Amino acid sequence: MLLQWFWVPLGALAILALYQQFRIYQIHRESKKNAELFQIVTENAADMIALVDVKGRRLYNSPAYKRILGYSPAELGETSAFEQIHPDDRFKILEAAREARETGVGKRLEYRVKHKNGSWRVLESVASAVRDAKGEVAKLVIVNRDITERKRAEEQLEHNLFHDPLTGLPNRRQFLDRLQTSFVRARRDAGRPYTLLLANVDHFKVFNETMGTAAGDHVLLEISRRLAAHLQQDDTIARCERGGASAEVVLFRVGGDEFTILLDAVDDPSDAMRVAKRIQEAVAEPFFVESREVRVAVSIGIALSTLTHERPEDVLKDADVAMRRAKALGGSRCEVFDEAMHTRAVGRLRLEADLRAAMAERQFRVYYQPVVQLDTRRIVSFEALLRWDHPTQGLISPYRFIEAAEDTGVLVSIGHWLILQACQQLRDWEANHFSEQPMTITVNVSARQFADARLMNDIQDALQQTGIDPSRLQLEMTESVAAADPKLTVTVLSQLKHLGIGVILDNFGTGTTSLRGLRQFKVDALKIDRSLVGEMQSDRAACDIVELIAALAHKMNLKVIAEGIETARQAERLLELGCEYGQGYYFSPPMEAKAAQQFMRQQVAPRTRGAAK
């Protein structure tokens, strides 16, 4: 009975053990089946699947990595996979992994990864957490999908939405967006006006009808190519960009044969006209279409933004009016919407064209105005002054053309010629003994010329050709030129000193040169501005300033010259205030070389004359 009593429980325990073993076997089989199923799914999935631990170490990479990115599982080690990610995208990958580990929820993100062939692919990724028995995140399953082609298609759709399909240029939709941006910015910042050029191909309809639309498309493609290339190289735009805020210049195709150019940094009508003229020149060059030589012209309307424009479209309307006026006047023209601006712009361009011709046709003349010692009235120097003997307008002062000459770059060539002419004239005077005392010749140097690297070569060339003593040549620059770039000024003045050339600081007393700057600038003389000389009789402060300048100059061992002297009283007062030298119409107006020679011989008594140089 006792054995029978134990048998029942022991039999139940055995059955229970057998059952537990059976369940373990079943679970093992299910796990194996799940593992096999996981392997089948991951190895045949179109997406790339990776398993990483909480430290970011890769435990598994599906074969899709090899098929899509070219890397074998062995090549995607613990760190190499991360190194293939684009540097700009690595931080957001780390942040997404950290968030998935902390919250157990992964967010969808896009990033770039390098293909084994070196190209970049775009992946869409999402991470899912795998928790352990304690409910903590132990691993992350990361599913990556290659969306490169989809992104390219989206970018192409975006591009097509805002670009012309024929030329690839930004289209009318993008033009209106940019015009709105420029309009709002100009309203907010008065220092950011903009200019719009509207170019229309002359007689394009006739051309299209006679040669066909395919040839017409070829013409439009060539025009767009030339416009784009020219705008990248235009020196007017580059100069405007250097001189102010960063320039934005965008070319658009807004219609069949219409192009617009938005110049966000050009607000001078003459600059805009210059850009338009050069565009016309670039387009006018002949080219071949279907073995036929073709010449194309464009009419361009120019409109400058103003505060009176209430909408962005108003500027476009103004440019269209100006363009239609250009068409009505025969085509192949540039017209500015505002008549007064147009007149000024055309006048400026005509002046620039005449300047180029003047250099080639030797229309420039040199006039000489003496500088005298105020107590003895002895001539000590002549200032060489440039004059333009215009064929129709007569003698023109530099005040009327100097800015245009600087903008066109002609002034550097004119300056070289002037230095050479002045040195040659001084050599001739010395050879013929027109003066008993040694004299110097002074030549003005412009800002553009002063900053030009060829200045020293020009001076050395003139000295070598003429053989004059370098100490007989003086250069004169305004105080504003010297103060514009102090570092450059110090360098150039040091080079001039090394050559033995004297330097005069002109217009002193009206600029911004500090005492420290004056100490740095190794000059030989200060020239008191004519405005101070003219105000001495009516303004006591002007006399005080002149006296202070003279005292400062003498303290620094500099000479003092006053310009614009027109009366005997001015000459006497300047002498009393400590000024040693003077020039002006009281002594003599600027003269041609022969008259200057006669003046040196006669040393005529001073007499009052009418106006300043």
Side-chain angles (χ1 to χ4, degrees):
M1 290 294 292
L2 183 63
L3 289 173
Q4 189 178 4
W5 185 80
F6 277 109
W7 174 253
V8 175
L10 287 174
L13 289 173
I15 293 171
L16 180 61
L18 287 174
Y19 176 75
Q20 287 175 339
Q21 290 179 2
F22 177 72
R23 284 297 300 151
I24 291 171
Y25 171 74
Q26 281 187 318
I27 291 169
H28 179 72
R29 282 191 62 187
E30 288 175 4
S31 297
K32 188 176 180 181
K33 286 176 64 177
N34 289 339
E36 290 173 352
L37 182 62
F38 175 78
Q39 185 175 1
I40 292 171
V41 170
T42 57
E43 291 186 359
N44 292 278
D47 296 336
M48 293 167 282
I49 301 173
L51 183 66
V52 300
D53 63 16
V54 290
K55 294 184 178 180
R57 292 175 296 195
R58 289 199 168 224
L59 306 176
Y60 174 79
N61 294 298
S62 71
Y65 278 96
K66 176 71 174 178
R67 185 177 66 256
I68 297 173
L69 296 178
Y71 301 108
S72 66
E75 291 173 311
L76 295 173
E78 291 184 5
T79 59
S80 59
F82 185 73
E83 290 172 354
Q84 309 310 321
I85 297 172
H86 195 285
D88 294 343
D89 295 338
R90 290 173 185 171
F91 179 75
K92 67 180 179 181
I93 290 290
L94 293 173
E95 282 295 298
R98 181 190 60 78
E99 185 176 330
R101 287 194 301 269
E102 292 178 355
T103 65
V105 179
K107 65 178 181 181
R108 193 176 299 274
L109 58 86
E110 295 178 4
Y111 67 97
R112 291 158 291 177
V113 66
K114 185 182 289 185
H115 192 282
K116 191 172 182 178
N117 63 16
S119 64
W120 290 99
R121 308 292 292 181
V122 182
L123 304 185
E124 183 182 64
S125 176
V126 64
S128 300
V130 178
R131 300 182 182 273
D132 59 16
K134 297 179 180 179
E136 296 179 353
V137 175
K139 300 179 183 64
L140 293 176
V141 176
I142 303 172
V143 180
N144 294 291
R145 175 168 295 175
D146 184 5
I147 60 170
T148 306
E149 299 308 319
R150 189 186 83 192
K151 295 297 290 185
R152 286 176 181 166
E154 290 173 356
E155 289 170 1
Q156 188 62 49
L157 286 172
E158 180 79 9
H159 183 274
N160 292 344
L161 187 64
F162 290 101
H163 290 80
D164 172 49
L166 174 65
T167 64
L169 293 175
N171 61 14
R172 186 180 185 87
R173 180 194 294 263
Q174 190 171 166
F175 163 69
L176 293 175
D177 281 351
R178 293 298 294 268
L179 187 63
Q180 173 72 25
T181 301
S182 295
F183 176 80
V184 172
R185 184 162 50 193
R187 286 271 176 173
R188 185 178 63 246
D189 181 0
R192 286 302 298 261
Y194 57 95
T195 299
L196 182 64
L197 276 61
L198 177 61
N200 186 278
V201 183
D202 292 337
H203 312 298
F204 182 74
K205 184 178 180 181
V206 175
F207 177 87
N208 224 9
E209 290 173 350
T210 55
M211 293 191 67
T213 56
D217 287 348
H218 187 109
V219 170
L220 293 173
L221 277 169
E222 180 63 20
I223 291 174
S224 65
R225 184 191 67 78
R226 293 186 179 192
L227 290 174
H230 171 76
L231 290 171
Q232 289 177 353
Q233 302 168 4
D234 194 286
D235 61 342
T236 297
I237 296 168
R239 187 174 67 251
C240 291
E241 184 170 13
R242 288 194 299 270
S246 177
E248 289 185 74
V249 182
V250 191
L251 170 67
F252 307 85
R253 184 188 178 202
V254 294
D257 60 343
E258 280 191 345
F259 300 85
T260 59
I261 300 99
L262 187 61
L263 306 176
D264 197 47
V266 179
D267 60 351
D268 187 305
S270 60
D271 282 337
M273 182 74 87
R274 189 181 296 108
V275 172
K277 286 288 187 183
R278 290 175 183 170
I279 284 174
Q280 287 183 317
E281 292 169 4
V283 171
E285 289 292 323
F287 57 94
F288 287 89
V289 177
E290 298 176 353
S291 301
R292 292 176 57 179
E293 185 177 270
V294 173
R295 293 178 182 270
V296 179
V298 294
S299 295
I300 301 177
I302 303 170
L304 282 74
S305 66
T306 67
L307 294 178
T308 60
H309 291 130
E310 297 180 355
R311 301 173 304 163
E313 294 81 1
D314 293 342
V315 185
L316 180 59
K317 288 180 180 178
D318 289 351
D320 185 65
V321 169
M323 184 272 292
R324 293 182 186 282
R325 183 195 301 158
K327 290 271 191 185
L329 293 172
S332 189
R333 295 174 59 94
C334 306
E335 292 292 322
V336 179
F337 175 74
D338 183 270
E339 195 61 42
M341 288 182 180
H342 178 72
T343 301
R344 289 196 300 271
V346 170
R348 174 66 176 267
L349 291 177
R350 187 178 296 119
L351 179 65
E352 291 175 1
D354 288 350
L355 270 171
R356 293 187 181 91
M359 193 64 193
E361 297 171 10
R362 301 183 178 182
Q363 296 174 4
F364 292 106
R365 304 285 181 266
V366 184
Y367 277 59
Y368 300 89
Q369 187 173 37
V371 177
V372 304
Q373 193 167 354
L374 290 178
D375 56 352
T376 65
R377 305 300 167 90
R378 178 177 61 85
I379 301 171
V380 295
S381 177
F382 276 94
E383 182 177 358
L385 299 167
L386 184 67
R387 297 292 184 267
W388 179 9
D389 191 6
H390 195 280
T392 59
Q393 301 180 41
L395 216 58
I396 301 178
S397 167
Y399 295 119
R400 288 180 54 193
F401 67 82
I402 202 76
E403 184 181 350
E406 279 198 321
D407 287 346
T408 58
V410 175
L411 191 60
V412 174
S413 299
I414 297 173
H416 180 201
W417 175 84
L418 179 59
I419 291 172
L420 181 59
Q421 291 294 310
C423 290
Q424 287 175 341
Q425 188 60 68
L426 182 61
R427 179 198 60 192
D428 293 345
W429 285 342
E430 288 180 341
N432 290 283
H433 306 288
F434 283 109
S435 175
E436 296 179 358
Q437 302 293 331
M439 278 199 309
T440 58
I441 196 85
T442 303
V443 180
N444 287 280
V445 179
S446 71
R448 177 69 69 90
Q449 191 180 2
F450 188 76
D452 191 89
R454 294 169 290 181
L455 177 61
M456 293 303 150
N457 290 334
D458 291 347
I459 293 171
Q460 290 174 318
D461 179 56
L463 294 175
Q464 187 175 1
Q465 286 192 46
T466 60
I468 70 167
D469 187 329
S471 64
R472 298 286 179 260
L473 174 63
Q474 297 182 131
L475 295 187
E476 188 172 299
M477 63 177 182
T478 64
E479 188 181 3
S480 59
V481 170
D485 188 343
K487 188 175 291 187
L488 173 67
T489 300
V490 170
T491 301
V492 175
L493 293 183
S494 177
Q495 293 172 338
L496 291 171
K497 282 294 180 184
H498 181 72
L499 291 176
I501 308 297
V503 178
I504 299 173
L505 198 58
D506 193 12
N507 293 358
F508 194 79
T510 61
T512 58
T513 303
S514 65
L515 292 178
R516 182 175 180 274
L518 186 59
R519 182 169 57 84
Q520 286 181 313
F521 301 155
K522 304 300 183 183
V523 299
D524 299 279
L526 302 180
K527 181 175 279 190
I528 298 173
D529 188 70
R530 67 177 65 254
S531 63
L532 288 172
V533 174
E535 293 169 2
M536 286 194 309
Q537 189 171 350
S538 59
D539 188 354
R540 173 65 189 175
C543 291
D544 293 339
I545 292 172
V546 170
E547 187 172 19
L548 285 171
I549 291 172
L552 174 65
H554 293 151
K555 193 73 174 176
M556 300 180 70
N557 295 319
L558 304 178
K559 297 175 183 177
V560 186
I561 307 166
E563 64 178 345
I565 301 173
E566 298 184 4
T567 67
R569 179 55 188 153
Q570 286 175 340
E572 293 168 2
R573 187 72 178 114
L574 286 164
L575 189 58
E576 293 170 2
L577 294 173
C579 188
E580 307 155 273
Y581 305 96
Q583 71 181 108
Y585 272 64
Y586 173 64
F587 304 108
S588 171
M591 304 170 283
E592 291 186 281
K594 288 184 179 180
Q597 292 166 190
Q598 188 69 16
F599 185 82
M600 281 187 282
R601 280 177 171 164
Q602 295 177 358
Q603 287 284 289
V604 295
R607 55 195 177 87
T608 306
R609 293 172 171 86
K613 73 180 180 189

